[in-house]
Amino acid sequence: MQPTIGLMEARDVEAVARMRLDAFFEGTGRTLEQDIADLNRLSAGDSFEAAFVARDGDVAIGTCLLVRNELESAHDLTPWLAGLVVDAGYRGRGIGTALVGAVEARAASLGVDVLYLYTWEARDFYARLGWAAVETFEQDSGPMQLMSRKLRL
């Protein structure tokens, strides 16, 4: 069965929060309850921000977000593609690419001209998808790459 991509539903929130905690927040003190609350706030917002989920049947296997604000030192930039994670057992199947595409399509449909993200480990992945490096900076004692993608001419 080919995984499907859609907007996050209530049934996905806990699984998505667990994926996010494992991928991004290990050792930070962030709790599952905090991430669930943040995802619920995002979903209940004004419909600009969105969480996309890849599912294999009824099981959430990946996620990616469209958010207004992401990086404290660059809050004058908006909006952001954030939090892309795919379960390790499903990587290499185009699911991350599909999730990025869903966020880009949503942003473009809302009139967004330029979308931003930051990464270090996945910078080559995003470059292959047409994202351009903007600058390299230090974040949490390590290098980080700010990237952008023009969605509209």
Side-chain angles (χ1 to χ4, degrees):
M1 172 185 273
Q2 182 67 21
T4 58
I5 308 292
L7 289 172
M8 185 177 64
E9 299 174 8
R11 66 184 169 134
D12 303 313
V13 174
E14 184 174 342
V16 167
R18 288 184 187 285
M19 276 189 278
R20 289 169 40 82
L21 283 175
D22 289 344
F24 306 119
F25 300 114
E26 188 173 317
T28 67
R30 184 170 180 85
T31 67
L32 179 64
E33 292 75 20
Q34 288 171 320
D35 209 59
I36 287 172
D38 284 349
L39 289 169
N40 283 328
R41 272 191 295 279
L42 184 142
S43 294
D46 63 7
S47 78
F48 180 89
E49 295 185 312
F52 289 88
V53 176
R55 294 182 197 90
D56 185 359
D58 288 335
V59 178
I61 58 169
T63 187
C64 194
L65 310 177
L66 172 63
V67 296
R68 280 191 179 89
N69 297 305
E70 175 67 1
L71 189 59
E72 287 184 31
S73 63
H75 268 214
D76 58 322
L77 301 175
T78 189
W80 295 81
L81 181 147
L84 174 64
V85 61
V86 175
D87 181 272
Y90 288 87
R91 292 182 187 155
R93 300 184 193 181
I95 296 166
T97 299
L99 284 163
V100 169
V103 170
E104 290 174 350
R106 171 69 168 251
S109 76
L110 294 168
V112 171
D113 294 324
V114 180
L115 193 56
Y116 298 93
L117 66 80
Y118 70 96
T119 186
W120 185 252
E121 293 172 359
R123 64 194 184 280
D124 293 338
F125 166 77
Y126 287 109
R128 286 191 302 273
L129 297 180
W131 288 74
V134 175
E135 68 179 42
T136 300
F137 61 97
E138 289 288 317
Q139 176 82 13
D140 299 326
S141 301
M144 197 62 67
Q145 182 85 63
L146 174 65
M147 302 183 83
S148 68
R149 171 127 170 124
K150 290 188 182 202
L151 303 177
R152 299 160 33 116
L153 298 175

